[in-house]
Amino acid sequence: MTYTSRQVRLASRPTGFPTAENFSIEDHPVRPLEEGEALLRTLYLSLDPYMRGRMNEGRSYAEHLQVGDIMLGGTVSEVIESRSAEVTPGQIVVGGAGWQTFSVEAAAGLRVIDPDDAPISTALGVLGMTGFTAYSGLLAIGRPQAGETLAVAAATGPVGATVGQIAKLKGMRTIGIAGGPEKVAYLRELGFDAAVDHRRDDLAEQIAEAAPDGIDVYFENVGGAVWEAVLPHLNLFGRVPVCGLAANYNATGAPAGPDRSQQLLQTVLNQSLTIRGFIQTEFQETQFESFLRDMGAWVREGRITYREDITDGLDNAPETFIGMLSGKNFGKTLIRVADDA
Amino acid sequence: MTYTSRQVRLASRPTGFPTAENFSIEDHPVRPLEEGEALLRTLYLSLDPYMRGRMNEGRSYAEHLQVGDIMLGGTVSEVIESRSAEVTPGQIVVGGAGWQTFSVEAAAGLRVIDPDDAPISTALGVLGMTGFTAYSGLLAIGRPQAGETLAVAAATGPVGATVGQIAKLKGMRTIGIAGGPEKVAYLRELGFDAAVDHRRDDLAEQIAEAAPDGIDVYFENVGGAVWEAVLPHLNLFGRVPVCGLAANYNATGAPAGPDRSQQLLQTVLNQSLTIRGFIQTEFQETQFESFLRDMGAWVREGRITYREDITDGLDNAPETFIGMLSGKNFGKTLIRVADDA
């Protein structure tokens, strides 16, 4: 049997915010399997802000997409055919098929999951890349200490919400920063001690009020105005895991002056801060197993909750992605590409 | 016997570069000793760029000077009288008398040194604060690995020169950055593998040429244009111990735009960089003993060399300090306040 994979490809590089024209949707026949490979049917596709960066040209922390490439992304798929002993048809696996309905992948790169453990979509979220980003960045770089204060932006997003809840489990006081009253209300549900609305024009005052003892860990995944508002409140020996800079992904140039970069370094010096960029892959070998064990237990016990924002149909991926970049998502953004068999 | 201490005090806060008018020179009688105190005669006074920061008002990593205060600073002194069992007259001690000829200090805060071990002035430099700054910042934060590349600015200064030599001992390729041909020539003497002159207008090209494999550790003690030139060359997982920002100490405001601070964070993210501010005091308890042992041996064996820039007479301290801030010193800047008895 031959399969046709529907694919979303990068049609052109965006200037600033992406538009529908930057994507093309095409059908292509799936090539035959080689030894060690598996044919997969995509069930869920993860949409994440980092993808915006990959659409640009230039030096980055990972390979950039070329125009014409299939958009990249983490996926949960069903194994349809296999030429490897590692996976068998019917199994559910986590892989990186990208934005397409069928894929051929090396079986060695797939992770088999048990649908009885948790909903399979969570393998892309709280029990997958975003959860692991939160877990590894907070524990390895943030080094949470009971009694200290944590702040996190995009705090209703899949990374931020998980960071806040883990920090709380570790005994920290937690400040969540999000945009708009609905998200701020959700921050309270998530158990944040203080909630800050970055869309209000008194951001600086809100942060000052939320952090009377300063901020020891700022988990950075936004940048821009939120960064500027948090920086003056960082305590001596504060830690800043830098996981993303969503506010800047669509920037077309450096913002107007004055140049605050030297002031940033001066604050790093004055406060003996640690600012550390990371991608979760660097911790994969050392921490992924403890993550699956800890987070699996926390989710089962209801100590960590999560929220998913699921849209049906691959064809809706570009619009959903663009909406997510402007904060329209509420929880982990996923495309249900096909129904779970 | 009563003593008179000649003192240099902060007469007014500088705006930008300090001038002679910001200092006053006064004679004051030395008060009688209390239990646990010692009367000290200053022999050497250390002049260091961090002092400029303390002359400003505002939040900083340490207490700021108030107008009228004696200028602060590390000193090597002779014990003249003692009301403590910890020190006895005639001993040579390291303390923090500041810019004055006699001081009363708590004996518990003094470190006795043996003049037979090394010239006593080195207790303020290579075997003292500046050497320890280089040692602790490089080892604890820079984590040098053989085969990697290190860059350091102000590389003929007491911190930078020591950083470069320790890095070389650890098997790194070393790039020294300094201002002007005389200092660049000295970089070669110090054993740097490459020497960059930041006063030439091809700074970016020089750095690119000196760092064909990028830079793994940038020991930052300057900031400004040198920082901007180094940043694009930092390798994945690069480490940046931030020990000082001498280029900015006399700034009266943020430089003109564009605002490069978000680009800085983006580079931190793309390259998984660690930027970490520090003052050596944080490592005092854990590393000072190993420092004295290691560095003492390296200096005795001639594996670490040092250079001192000594001016006679406390009254010359303001002018010497101002000159140092504009890079006129060549080596560790010291005032010989009185002859070693």
Side-chain angles (χ1 to χ4, degrees):
Chain A
M1 177 166 175
T2 59
Y3 292 86
T4 299
S5 182
R6 194 159 177 86
Q7 303 171 335
V8 182
R9 291 173 178 255
L10 180 66
S12 57
R13 298 198 188 279
T15 306
F17 235 80
T19 64
E21 287 66 44
N22 299 127
F23 304 91
S24 64
I25 299 184
E26 306 172 19
D27 291 318
H28 289 276
V30 175
R31 68 166 170 81
L33 294 185
E34 293 179 9
E35 193 55 39
E37 290 183 335
L39 170 68
L40 309 177
R41 183 166 64 100
T42 311
L43 304 176
Y44 287 97
L45 163 67
S46 178
L47 295 183
D48 301 280
Y50 77 86
M51 297 168 175
R52 174 62 189 85
R54 308 286 183 93
M55 299 170 80
N56 289 338
E57 232 168 352
R59 187 183 184 192
S60 177
Y61 59 110
E63 290 301 320
H64 283 242
L65 290 167
Q66 301 304 312
V67 171
D69 282 353
I70 300 170
M71 288 291 297
L72 81 171
T75 45
V76 165
S77 305
E78 181 190 354
V79 179
I80 304 293
E81 292 176 10
S82 174
R83 288 191 61 190
S84 160
E86 303 199 39
V87 297
T88 53
Q91 283 187 320
I92 306 297
V93 294
V94 182
W99 299 23
Q100 60 179 337
T101 57
F102 287 91
S103 65
V104 171
E105 296 187 63
L110 302 171
R111 181 165 65 89
V112 178
I113 57 174
D114 183 346
D116 292 336
D117 278 352
I120 61 172
S121 58
T122 59
L124 296 174
V126 68
L127 294 174
M129 191 266 279
T130 52
F132 187 54
T133 297
Y135 179 93
S136 61
L138 179 61
L139 299 190
I141 302 171
R143 302 193 311 279
Q145 304 294 321
E148 287 188 338
T149 297
L150 167 124
V152 59
T156 63
V159 175
T162 310
V163 164
Q165 292 178 91
I166 299 174
K168 194 76 198 161
L169 286 177
K170 298 290 179 187
M172 299 186 87
R173 173 180 156 77
T174 56
I175 302 170
I177 306 167
E182 192 193 2
K183 287 185 176 174
V184 164
Y186 180 54
L187 290 177
R188 301 291 190 183
E189 271 181 56
L190 283 169
F192 279 94
D193 295 298
V196 168
D197 185 348
H198 68 75
R199 293 205 180 144
R200 281 169 45 183
D201 55 11
D202 62 345
L203 177 58
E205 291 79 2
Q206 288 183 76
I207 302 253
E209 195 180 323
D213 301 323
I215 293 167
D216 301 289
V217 178
Y218 174 53
F219 194 100
E220 173 63 290
N221 48 17
V222 167
V226 175
W227 163 262
E228 294 293 341
V230 166
L231 185 61
H233 296 279
L234 290 172
N235 287 334
L236 199 63
F237 299 117
R239 288 85 68 195
V240 181
V242 179
C243 147
L245 293 164
N248 303 325
Y249 288 160
N250 297 299
T252 52
D259 183 359
R260 294 183 176 89
S261 59
Q262 294 298 315
Q263 184 52 49
L264 193 169
L265 292 175
Q266 189 66 50
T267 306
V268 167
L269 176 59
N270 294 352
Q271 301 294 90
S272 295
L273 301 180
T274 300
I275 300 186
R276 170 68 152 82
F278 78 102
I279 320 176
Q280 38 83 25
T281 46
E282 90 172 80
F283 301 111
Q284 198 84 27
E285 238 178 84
T286 53
Q287 296 196 33
F288 197 70
E289 279 194 35
S290 65
F291 160 72
L292 286 178
R293 188 187 60 231
D294 290 346
M295 191 68 84
W298 291 336
V299 170
R300 271 195 308 278
E301 296 160 7
R303 302 175 76 189
I304 298 269
T305 62
Y306 61 94
R307 183 166 178 149
E308 296 176 330
D309 188 332
I310 300 178
T311 301
D312 277 296
L314 182 70
D315 287 11
N316 293 318
E319 186 188 338
T320 306
F321 178 66
I322 293 166
M324 180 192 68
L325 291 179
S326 61
K328 284 189 190 150
N329 65 309
F330 201 154
K332 174 75 196 97
T333 306
L334 296 166
I335 299 290
R336 184 156 38 212
V337 178
D339 278 333
D340 186 357
Chain B
M1 179 167 175
T2 59
Y3 292 86
T4 298
S5 182
R6 195 160 177 86
Q7 303 171 336
V8 181
R9 291 172 177 255
L10 180 66
S12 57
R13 297 197 188 280
T15 306
F17 235 80
T19 63
E21 287 66 45
N22 299 128
F23 304 91
S24 63
I25 300 184
E26 307 171 18
D27 291 318
H28 288 276
V30 175
R31 68 167 170 80
L33 294 185
E34 293 178 9
E35 194 55 39
E37 290 183 336
L39 170 69
L40 309 178
R41 184 166 63 103
T42 311
L43 303 177
Y44 286 96
L45 162 67
S46 178
L47 295 183
D48 301 279
Y50 77 86
M51 297 168 176
R52 174 62 188 85
R54 308 287 183 92
M55 297 171 81
N56 290 338
E57 232 169 352
R59 189 183 182 191
S60 176
Y61 59 108
E63 290 301 322
H64 283 242
L65 290 167
Q66 301 305 310
V67 171
D69 282 354
I70 299 171
M71 288 292 295
L72 81 172
T75 44
V76 165
S77 305
E78 181 191 355
V79 179
I80 303 293
E81 293 176 9
S82 174
R83 289 191 60 189
S84 159
E86 302 198 40
V87 297
T88 52
Q91 283 187 320
I92 306 297
V93 296
V94 181
W99 299 23
Q100 58 179 337
T101 56
F102 287 91
S103 65
V104 171
E105 294 188 64
L110 301 172
R111 180 165 66 89
V112 178
I113 57 173
D114 183 345
D116 292 336
D117 278 352
I120 61 172
S121 59
T122 60
L124 296 174
V126 69
L127 294 174
M129 192 265 278
T130 53
F132 186 55
T133 297
Y135 178 93
S136 60
L138 179 62
L139 299 190
I141 302 172
R143 302 191 311 277
Q145 305 293 320
E148 287 189 337
T149 298
L150 167 125
V152 59
T156 62
V159 175
T162 310
V163 164
Q165 293 178 90
I166 299 174
K168 195 76 198 161
L169 286 178
K170 298 290 179 186
M172 299 186 87
R173 174 180 155 77
T174 56
I175 302 169
I177 306 166
E182 192 193 2
K183 288 185 177 176
V184 164
Y186 181 54
L187 291 177
R188 301 291 189 183
E189 272 182 57
L190 284 170
F192 280 94
D193 295 299
V196 168
D197 185 348
H198 68 75
R199 294 206 180 142
R200 281 169 44 182
D201 56 11
D202 61 346
L203 177 58
E205 291 80 0
Q206 288 183 75
I207 302 255
E209 195 181 324
D213 301 323
I215 292 167
D216 301 289
V217 178
Y218 174 52
F219 194 101
E220 172 64 290
N221 48 18
V222 165
V226 175
W227 164 261
E228 294 294 340
V230 167
L231 185 61
H233 296 280
L234 290 172
N235 286 335
L236 200 63
F237 300 117
R239 288 87 67 196
V240 181
V242 180
C243 146
L245 293 163
N248 302 325
Y249 288 159
N250 298 297
T252 53
D259 183 359
R260 294 184 176 89
S261 59
Q262 294 299 314
Q263 185 51 49
L264 192 168
L265 291 175
Q266 190 66 50
T267 306
V268 167
L269 176 59
N270 294 352
Q271 300 294 91
S272 295
L273 302 181
T274 300
I275 300 185
R276 170 67 152 83
F278 78 101
I279 320 177
Q280 39 83 25
T281 46
E282 88 172 82
F283 301 111
Q284 198 84 29
E285 239 180 81
T286 53
Q287 295 195 36
F288 197 71
E289 278 192 37
S290 65
F291 159 72
L292 286 179
R293 189 187 59 232
D294 290 348
M295 191 67 85
W298 291 336
V299 170
R300 269 195 309 276
E301 296 160 8
R303 302 174 76 189
I304 298 269
T305 61
Y306 61 94
R307 183 167 178 149
E308 297 176 329
D309 188 332
I310 300 179
T311 301
D312 277 294
L314 181 70
D315 287 11
N316 292 319
E319 187 188 337
T320 305
F321 178 67
I322 293 166
M324 180 192 68
L325 291 178
S326 61
K328 285 190 191 151
N329 64 310
F330 201 153
K332 174 73 196 99
T333 306
L334 296 166
I335 299 291
R336 183 155 39 211
V337 178
D339 278 333
D340 185 358

